Amino acid sequence: MEEKLGQEPSNLIKVVLFGPESTGKTTLAAQLADHYKTEWVPEYAREYLQDKWDREQKTCEPHDLVPIAYGQMELENRLAKSAHKVLVCDTDLLETKVYSEAYYTGTCDPILEKYAIKNQYDLYFLTYIDTPWVADDLRDKPDERERMFAYFKEALEKYNRNFIILKGDKATRLATAIEHIDKLLQNMIEFTPNDLEQLKSKGIPKEKVIRQIETFKEGIPFVELVKAAVVGNGILRFSDGEQKDLIQYFEDNRGDLDLLKFVPASGAASRMFKAMFNFLDAFDPKKETLAAYLERSGDKEAEKFTTHMDKLPFYGLIMDRIKGKAQNKDEEAYLFVKKMLSEDGLNYGFYPKGLLPFHKYGSETATPFKEHLKEAALYAKTDGKAHLHFTVSEQHDAMFNAEEKTVSPKISASTDTKFHIGYSNQKPSTDTIAVDMENKPFKNSDGSILFRPGGHGALIENLNDQDADIIFIKNIDNVVIDSNLEAVANSKKMLAGVLKKVQDKAFGYAKMLDGNDTPIDKLDEIKSFLEKDLNVRMSKNYEDLDVDTQSDILKDRLNRPIRICGMVKNEGEPGGGPFWIRDSEGNISLQIIESAQIDMDDSEQVGILKNSTHFNPVDLVCGVRNYKGEKYNLLNYVDEKQGFITGKTQEGKELKALELPGLWNGAMAFWNTLFVEVPLVTFNPVKTVNDLLKPTHQA
C-alpha cells in the first residue's frame, strides 16, 4: 500500500496551492484549471472530514491522516491522466504533514512524512492571509492564521521547494499565478516514457532536471569579487596565547560534544600519476637514453621523479619486483614506472588515492586512510571513541573495508581509541544532465539521457546525512608524518575552539529571539555580534525596517550552519582562496572562490585576485546543529549559481556538462563563515606523485 502515496511519472507541470485554511486556494485552483483547460485536484480531506463530521460530529484525528493521504494521491494520479500540460493541485502531502505537526504535538506518521518529502512539484503558490476568514464545519483556527502561515512558509524553505507568495485580491493572485505557470510552460521539456523511467531509477526528479536545463540556458555568471579577504579584514589571526586559550576552551567542552571527522576520499589516483603515464608513452629506453629524452622533451616532472624516486615510500617494494630485469639505470627507471602503473603491476594509477602508500616508517608504510585515523585519535575523540566518515567510490568499497580491518586495530591499540568508521558513495541522484549545443538533453546512441557525476559538490548530500555537534572536514590527500601530528591536532583544536565560542554566543542570542518581545537594545547587540563575529553584512535598508522585520532578519542570519575555515599563506599553490563577494541581489559575504569563477578578462577582478594573500587548504570545522540540537538541512544553504558549465565530447559529439557548486564553495555559500589563519605545516596535499618527495612527507 505504501507505494500508492507516490506519484506516477508524467510530463505534466504540477503546481500546488499551499497555505492556511480560508486563504483562497480552492477558488484559485478552479480558476487556473479553467484558464489552462485542464484538471485540478480537489482537497480530498474536505470530502473525507465532512463525511466524518456528518456521521460523528468529529473533526480530524491523527489516525485520519494516512487514509486522507492515500485518497489525495489516488485523486492526483487519476486526474493526471486526463490533464492537459498543467495539473493544479489544491493541496499535497507536504501540507498534510504541516497540519499533522501543527495540530498533533509536532508528530507525523513516518510513511506520510516520507512521501511528503519525496513527491515533487514544479511550483508552489503560498497563499497569504490577506483574505477574509470564512467559517465552515471544518475550519477551526481563525485566530492562528499568522502562526499557520509561518508553519507553511517554513516547510517550503526547509524542503527547498520552489515557491511564490500570492497576495492581493483574486484577480491579482490569478494574474501572478498565470505569469509564473506560463514561464514554466515556455521552458517545458517533453520526456519520453523511457526518459521518465530513467529519471525514476536514478532518483532524480523531473523538476530538478528542468532547473538544470534552465541553468544551461541562462549560463552561470562569474562571481563579483569585492576585495580579497586578508588578516584584519576577513581573516582572523591569533597569537600563541590566544591559540592556547582556544584549544583549552575546546578541551574543556569536548566531553559533552558529538565529534565527527568527514573525509572526502572518492575517486582514483589517475590525476596524481598523469605525468608518469605520459612518460611511459613518450620514452622508450631501447631507442634513446633517459638524458636524451629529458633534453628533447623538457619533461621536468619525469626528471624530478627519476632523480629522487629512491625517496618514495614504495621504492623498495617496486625495486624488489623488477630486480635483475633492467639492462641499465635508464631501463630501470622505465620499468619502475611501468610496474608502478600497469594493470599487471601495482596499478597505482587506478588505485583509490586514500589507499596508496604515502609515508614510510622503518619497514612499514602508511596510507592516507591510516594517517587520518591517527589524526582523529588526537582531536576527534570523545570518551575514547572517534567517529570518522569517508566518502568513497562504489568500486573501492571492499578495498577500504579491507584496509580498515588491517590498520584500525593497530592504531586503536597504539592510541587507546575505539574507531567507528562509516562510508558512503556519491548518490546517483546527484548526477547532472548533459545537454547538446541547443540545450536539449543529450541522448546516448541507445536513446538514454546522458548523466554525468556532479563533482565534489555532490558530497553536500553525503555531509547532510551526517549529524554531530562538530564536524571536521579535510581532504584524503592532506596528511602529515608523525612528527607533525601534534601541530596539526593543535590547529584543529584551535579552529574547533573558535567554532564553539562563537556558536555558544549565537545559540544564546537565537534562544533569546525565540522568546517574546526582545528589547531593542538587545537587537542592536545581536546585530553587532553578527557583523563583528560572524562577518554578516546587513542590507542597506535594514535600519529603515520595523522592529519585527529586523528581528526576523536577525533570527534568519543566526540560525544557519557555521563553518570555520583554516587559511594558509599563499605560496603559489593552485586552487581557491578567501574573498568578499557581492551576489546578484547586492548582498556581500565571505566565500571561498576558485579562479574558474572569476572573469579573467576583467582587469579589476584580476587585480583583486592578485591581492589575495591566503589559500584554502580545505581545512574546515563545521557546526550543523541549531541551539535546540536539531540538525540543519544543509541543502537549503546551497547557491546553485556557483556551479560550473564545461564543454565535453561524447561519441564524437559536442555537449555541455554541469558541475555542481563545490562542497566548500557554493555548496556552503549561505553558511555563516569565519576564516582563520593556520600554519603551513597543516597543508601537505599530494596532487602529483612528486609531492611525496617533499620533506614534509619524508618520515
Side-chain angles (χ1 to χ4, degrees):
M1 283 289 287
E2 178 185 331
E3 65 275 5
K4 291 185 178 180
L5 289 178
Q7 294 167 306
E8 295 179 5
S10 80
N11 260 319
L12 296 168
I13 287 173
K14 292 186 177 183
V15 298
V16 181
L17 281 303
F18 195 80
E21 53 193 12
S22 194
T23 52
K25 299 192 297 291
T26 301
T27 299
L28 182 56
Q31 288 175 319
L32 288 171
D34 182 62
H35 178 83
Y36 289 105
K37 302 295 185 282
T38 189
E39 303 281 4
W40 69 279
V41 185
E43 188 178 3
Y44 178 74
R46 296 198 64 80
E47 176 187 337
Y48 179 98
L49 294 175
Q50 186 66 57
D51 179 64
K52 178 174 180 172
W53 176 261
D54 293 342
R55 286 185 291 103
E56 306 174 40
Q57 279 70 57
K58 288 184 179 179
T59 56
C60 188
E61 297 172 282
H63 64 263
D64 293 317
L65 295 177
V66 171
I68 286 172
Y70 279 122
Q72 190 64 46
M73 290 313 300
E74 190 280 327
L75 262 179
E76 179 180 318
N77 287 327
R78 175 161 53 84
L79 291 171
K81 294 174 182 176
S82 54
H84 175 65
K85 290 192 176 181
V86 177
L87 182 67
V88 183
C89 303
D90 191 15
T91 188
D92 76 334
L93 299 192
L94 185 58
E95 181 159 319
T96 309
K97 169 176 157 62
V98 171
Y99 274 117
S100 175
E101 293 172 343
Y103 278 68
Y104 307 119
T105 63
T107 61
C108 180
D109 183 282
I111 295 175
L112 170 57
E113 182 172 44
K114 174 183 174 180
Y115 284 92
I117 296 170
K118 184 177 181 179
N119 290 349
Q120 295 288 316
Y121 299 85
D122 296 273
L123 183 61
Y124 284 78
F125 292 115
L126 176 57
T127 50
Y128 193 57
I129 54 176
D130 55 351
T131 56
W133 173 269
V134 179
D136 65 16
D137 291 340
L138 303 178
R139 292 171 179 165
D140 64 348
K141 290 191 181 293
D143 300 322
E144 297 189 31
R145 302 181 82 196
E146 288 190 15
R147 183 175 73 88
M148 293 304 298
F149 180 82
Y151 273 145
F152 281 103
K153 184 172 182 288
E154 185 179 312
L156 293 174
E157 292 171 339
K158 181 177 181 180
Y159 297 108
N160 206 25
R161 298 299 200 250
N162 182 26
F163 73 95
I164 301 294
I165 297 176
L166 291 182
K167 295 183 177 181
D169 58 25
K170 292 178 182 178
T172 301
R173 290 181 176 211
L174 178 62
T176 303
I178 289 172
E179 177 188 351
H180 287 281
I181 294 173
D182 283 351
K183 286 180 182 178
L184 292 174
L185 285 168
Q186 289 170 10
N187 299 315
M188 190 173 180
I189 303 292
E190 292 287 344
F191 292 103
T192 67
N194 286 341
D195 293 340
L196 294 171
E197 190 58 40
Q198 184 183 357
L199 296 182
K200 183 179 179 181
S201 69
K202 292 180 73 68
I204 301 177
K206 179 192 65 173
E207 296 76 19
K208 187 175 182 180
V209 171
I210 291 171
R211 289 200 302 271
Q212 290 177 359
I213 292 174
E214 279 308 295
T215 298
F216 283 115
K217 291 178 179 178
E218 296 171 1
I220 296 178
F222 291 113
V223 299
E224 181 187 349
L225 303 181
V226 176
K227 62 179 71 173
V230 296
V231 172
N233 188 4
I235 299 178
L236 298 170
R237 175 186 287 163
F238 296 107
S239 67
D240 290 344
E242 289 171 327
Q243 290 185 48
K244 288 179 181 177
D245 289 343
L246 288 164
I247 291 170
Q248 191 59 51
Y249 192 79
F250 170 66
E251 293 286 16
D252 290 344
N253 289 278
R254 185 173 177 173
D256 299 323
L257 298 171
D258 296 328
L259 305 177
L260 173 69
K261 183 174 168 63
F262 183 88
V263 185
S266 307
S270 51
R271 290 185 187 177
M272 180 175 161
F273 295 101
K274 182 180 178 182
M276 304 320 297
F277 276 115
N278 292 339
F279 170 74
L280 282 183
D281 290 338
F283 174 56
D284 185 346
K286 291 183 169 56
K287 294 182 179 179
E288 63 180 331
T289 65
L290 180 59
Y293 164 76
L294 294 174
E295 184 176 353
R296 169 178 65 82
S297 65
D299 191 340
K300 297 298 182 184
E301 292 298 309
E303 181 178 13
K304 184 175 182 180
F305 182 92
T306 54
T307 302
H308 302 290
M309 63 188 192
D310 60 312
K311 294 181 179 179
L312 291 166
F314 43 80
Y315 175 75
L317 174 65
I318 295 179
M319 290 301 291
D320 287 344
R321 297 196 178 195
I322 64 172
K323 188 175 181 179
K325 296 182 180 179
Q327 301 297 316
N328 52 53
K329 287 290 183 183
D330 291 359
E331 189 175 355
E332 182 180 84
Y334 176 83
L335 290 177
F336 186 97
V337 176
K338 187 174 181 181
K339 182 62 67 175
M340 178 177 71
L341 299 178
S342 65
E343 285 189 46
D344 58 353
L346 296 176
N347 202 25
Y348 279 171
F350 297 94
Y351 237 65
K353 190 187 281 191
L355 301 183
L356 290 172
F358 266 30
H359 301 145
K360 187 171 176 62
Y361 302 100
S363 60
E364 293 190 0
T365 58
T367 63
F369 180 90
K370 185 176 182 179
E371 301 291 31
H372 275 287
L373 296 192
K374 294 179 189 176
E375 280 193 27
L378 291 176
Y379 59 76
K381 177 169 68 174
T382 304
D383 295 330
K385 300 172 186 175
H387 295 262
L388 298 93
H389 186 90
F390 294 83
T391 63
V392 303
S393 297
E394 191 172 356
Q395 65 265 34
H396 298 148
D397 284 344
M399 298 175 73
F400 273 93
N401 279 299
E403 176 75 355
E404 178 187 341
K405 289 178 181 178
T406 301
V407 306
S408 179
K410 296 178 182 178
I411 305 302
S412 181
S414 64
T415 62
D416 193 24
T417 305
K418 186 174 182 179
F419 293 105
H420 298 266
I421 303 173
Y423 305 93
S424 64
N425 310 128
Q426 189 167 312
K427 300 177 182 180
S429 60
T430 63
D431 289 352
T432 57
I433 192 170
V435 297
D436 61 23
M437 304 316 287
E438 296 181 352
N439 297 315
K440 296 178 181 177
F442 186 97
K443 294 294 186 80
N444 295 307
S445 55
D446 63 0
S448 63
I449 298 174
L450 175 63
F451 285 92
R452 298 173 56 87
H456 71 74
L459 298 182
I460 192 67
E461 297 235 13
N462 302 66
L463 181 62
N464 195 41
D465 291 337
Q466 310 309 312
D467 192 8
D469 290 310
I470 292 180
I471 300 179
F472 299 92
I473 301 179
K474 193 178 181 187
N475 270 343
I476 189 67
D477 64 354
N478 185 14
V479 289
V480 298
I481 54 179
D482 286 355
S483 58
N484 291 329
L485 268 176
E486 184 178 0
V488 167
N490 284 336
S491 178
K492 280 286 195 180
K493 291 176 186 178
M494 183 264 291
L495 295 178
V498 174
L499 172 63
K500 189 70 177 78
K501 270 202 164 184
V502 76
Q503 193 178 55
D504 287 348
K505 209 168 182 180
F507 283 178
Y509 286 137
K511 187 175 182 179
M512 184 187 301
L513 286 175
D514 269 356
N516 295 321
D517 301 323
T518 305
I520 292 178
D521 63 324
K522 282 296 181 182
L523 293 183
D524 292 338
E525 183 181 316
I526 295 170
K527 175 176 177 287
S528 178
F529 163 74
L530 282 165
E531 292 175 334
K532 293 179 180 178
D533 292 47
L534 283 175
N535 298 305
V536 173
R537 295 295 177 262
M538 300 297 174
S539 60
K540 292 180 180 179
N541 70 333
Y542 174 85
E543 299 297 341
D544 300 327
L545 302 172
D546 61 66
V547 171
D548 287 342
T549 304
Q550 288 182 351
S551 180
D552 288 342
I553 291 172
L554 296 178
K555 188 182 296 187
D556 170 67
R557 295 315 303 263
L558 273 174
N559 286 291
R560 297 189 182 200
I562 302 174
R563 56 175 176 161
I564 313 298
C565 309
M567 293 289 157
V568 295
K569 290 181 180 177
N570 194 333
E571 294 196 336
E573 292 283 353
F579 294 91
W580 293 97
I581 74 162
R582 181 183 289 111
D583 67 18
S584 58
E585 297 178 0
N587 301 310
I588 294 175
S589 62
L590 271 181
Q591 302 290 342
I592 297 170
I593 300 298
E594 308 291 332
S595 57
Q597 296 176 268
I598 301 168
D599 185 357
M600 303 305 285
D601 292 328
D602 186 324
S603 58
E604 183 178 340
Q605 293 288 288
V606 172
I608 295 173
L609 174 62
K610 290 180 177 177
N611 286 331
S612 177
T613 58
H614 286 68
F615 173 82
N616 161 43
V618 189
D619 191 359
L620 286 74
V621 182
C622 304
V624 298
R625 291 175 174 172
N626 65 17
Y627 79 90
K628 299 176 185 176
E630 301 164 336
K631 194 187 76 65
Y632 293 109
N633 179 5
L634 304 184
L635 306 184
N636 292 342
Y637 303 92
V638 177
D639 183 356
E640 295 182 357
K641 294 301 182 183
Q642 285 196 40
F644 303 90
I645 294 174
T646 57
K648 305 284 183 182
T649 58
Q650 178 83 0
E651 299 175 349
K653 300 176 184 176
E654 286 187 298
L655 62 84
K656 290 189 285 187
L658 178 64
E659 187 170 322
L660 297 172
L663 179 59
W664 39 83
N665 309 109
M668 295 182 174
F670 300 127
W671 293 39
N672 285 327
T673 299
L674 281 82
F675 294 147
V676 178
E677 186 177 78
V678 293
L680 276 169
V681 70
T682 63
F683 183 52
N684 299 279
V686 177
K687 300 305 178 188
T688 75
V689 65
N690 282 345
D691 287 332
L692 291 175
L693 302 174
K694 293 178 179 179
T696 50
H697 288 291
Q698 301 298 307

